[in-house]
Amino acid sequence: MNSESAKSIKVGICGFGTVGGGSYNLLQANGEEITRRVGCVIDVVRIASRSITSGDVDSTVNISNDPFDVVNDPEVDIVIETIGGFDPAFEVVRQALANGKHVVTANKALVAERGNELFAVAQENAVTLAFESSVAGGIPIIKALREGLSANKIDWLAGIINGTGNFILTEMAEKQRQFADVLIEAQQLGYAEADPTFDVEGIDAAHKLTIMAAIAFGIPLQFDKTYTEGISRITPQDIGFAKQLGYRVKHLGIARRTDNGVEMRVHPTLIPRKRLLASVDGVGNAVLVHGNAVGSTLYNGPGAGADATASSVIADVIDIARQKLAGLSKPLLPALGYLSMHDDLEVVSIEEIETEYYLRIPVNDVVGVLAKISSILQGFDISIDAVIQKELDSMTVPIVILTHKALEKKLNLAIAAIEALEDVSGEVMRIRVETFAG
Ligand code: HSE
């Protein structure tokens, strides 16, 4: 197709929930502006959804409840997949690509866990599988990593990439609200996943981190190697101690290239209050990226919600429309941004990382316990940066320790030895600390 012959680009949508519906509405609302940008009309001709009714969309749109009606419709040029999950989403996307259709997906689980297979199908069929909306909602972070920063060797990136988790931590910190109560509100606002444990246990963030790391470092998607820890054990007490020490608690996805390979980890993290990342609140997402030429750049914006996510879905549709109009016989960009991958870069185990730590240790209020803890830490080459010991109206008091950089493997051994002390009355709470200096 060239710009002379193109009257319109035809889109089919599979799944009409928050993101699918938002994408349809955005195309209707901004259609004229988009046509000015692209040079032709982008028309939604078919939608498949179990819940859609004819009153929801324009009468010209063909609706059904079978996504394969969309995928097998010869008129459709681009399929938007917003069903989510794997079944039937995997087969819907695979079939669309095999039929020579371009696909735009918002499905981070699908990309992170089955993306390697699907990108191969896309390549065989010379079509694009685009996935901007799968990471950080409305922030164009895939484009930034794959195109804007393509002259750099990326050293590391760190992101607040789950809006629900950030919303919960923000409300807990600012309004002392209960975890469960804030989660219900996030579900009502359409931020949370169908299964909200994906949000609070870090799985959603791990999907997104897996995708970003693959693009940042030119490695295959390796979700199963991403270390994942959620926020459900974080207490208001930890948030309070972190504040006293000059930090905020954020749930971060961190990917870093080291001499040993690539670290990929999702966990609650103390970050200095003065860092811009620390002030990203509510459903906001932000990704800090360090490239060896540019230094640090920060991408900030809404990470969830209908309009924000639709903004990224439709940007992908526009990119594909432009490529079609230019008459390209295959996609301009490799899916992960690299023609020749770094297959030799191994993912480092969490035990091999080195970072600083916050430890909250519940102890019986007796003389000498702090000395015993210090001695254990010293025995594992872990030095102490700061200590808080609060007198409470109880026999059990928390000792809070910030360490200097230590090897996680040694810290684990030290924690086991500390928990075995007679006067330590419960589990040690450990939160990793990252300063992102330089
Ligand atoms: N449940 C996700 C979040 C939605 O809260 O960030 C956007 O991916």
Side-chain angles (χ1 to χ4, degrees), residues 144-371:
L145 287 169
R146 203 168 49 177
E147 296 172 58
L149 298 175
S150 58
N152 288 260
K153 193 168 174 185
I154 307 285
D155 299 314
W156 53 262
L157 60 86
I160 296 170
I161 44 179
N162 181 267
T164 302
N166 203 44
F167 182 67
I168 292 172
L169 286 176
T170 305
E171 292 287 303
M172 283 173 74
E174 290 180 356
K175 300 180 191 155
Q176 284 76 49
R177 289 178 64 189
Q178 293 300 316
F179 180 91
D181 166 42
V182 191
L183 177 57
I184 290 168
E185 189 179 341
Q187 286 175 295
Q188 286 164 349
L189 290 166
Y191 303 151
E193 295 303 298
D195 176 354
T197 57
F198 273 48
D199 297 297
V200 296
E201 297 308 340
I203 301 156
D204 177 76
H207 284 142
K208 295 165 180 168
L209 184 74
T210 301
I211 298 169
M212 288 198 292
I215 294 169
F217 307 127
I219 56 174
L221 295 151
Q222 295 167 87
F223 170 72
D224 53 343
K225 294 192 181 153
T226 300
Y227 173 79
T228 306
E229 195 182 303
I231 57 169
S232 55
R233 287 183 63 229
I234 298 291
T235 64
Q237 198 184 28
D238 294 311
I239 293 173
F241 283 133
K243 191 172 174 190
Q244 281 182 46
L245 290 160
Y247 292 84
R248 293 201 67 185
V249 181
K250 291 288 176 190
H251 194 212
L252 295 190
I254 299 170
R256 180 177 277 129
R257 195 194 299 236
T258 72
D259 292 342
N260 302 329
V262 170
E263 292 176 8
M264 296 201 288
R265 47 191 168 101
V266 168
H267 51 69
T269 313
L270 261 65
I271 49 180
R273 197 170 38 214
K274 63 185 180 209
R275 295 269 174 265
L276 278 176
L277 206 52
S279 59
V280 174
D281 284 333
V283 73
N285 277 195
V287 184
L288 181 60
V289 185
H290 194 275
N292 69 341
V294 69
S296 289
T297 54
L298 179 68
Y299 307 85
N300 178 27
D307 292 344
T309 312
S311 166
S312 290
V313 169
I314 301 306
D316 274 346
V317 170
I318 290 171
D319 269 358
I320 294 168
R322 285 174 166 152
Q323 290 196 41
K324 278 185 79 68
L325 294 172
L328 299 186
S329 58
K330 62 176 191 165
L332 191 59
L333 286 169
L336 298 175
Y338 280 74
L339 282 172
S340 172
M341 306 285 278
H342 284 288
D343 293 323
D344 53 326
L345 269 181
E346 294 291 330
V347 178
V348 176
S349 131
I350 191 71
E351 290 241 294
E352 302 303 326
I353 72 155
E354 272 198 356
T355 190
E356 296 161 30
Y357 295 89
Y358 159 102
L359 304 175
R360 174 172 51 78
I361 309 166
V363 300
N364 298 326
D365 196 7
V366 293
V367 175
V369 64
L370 180 56

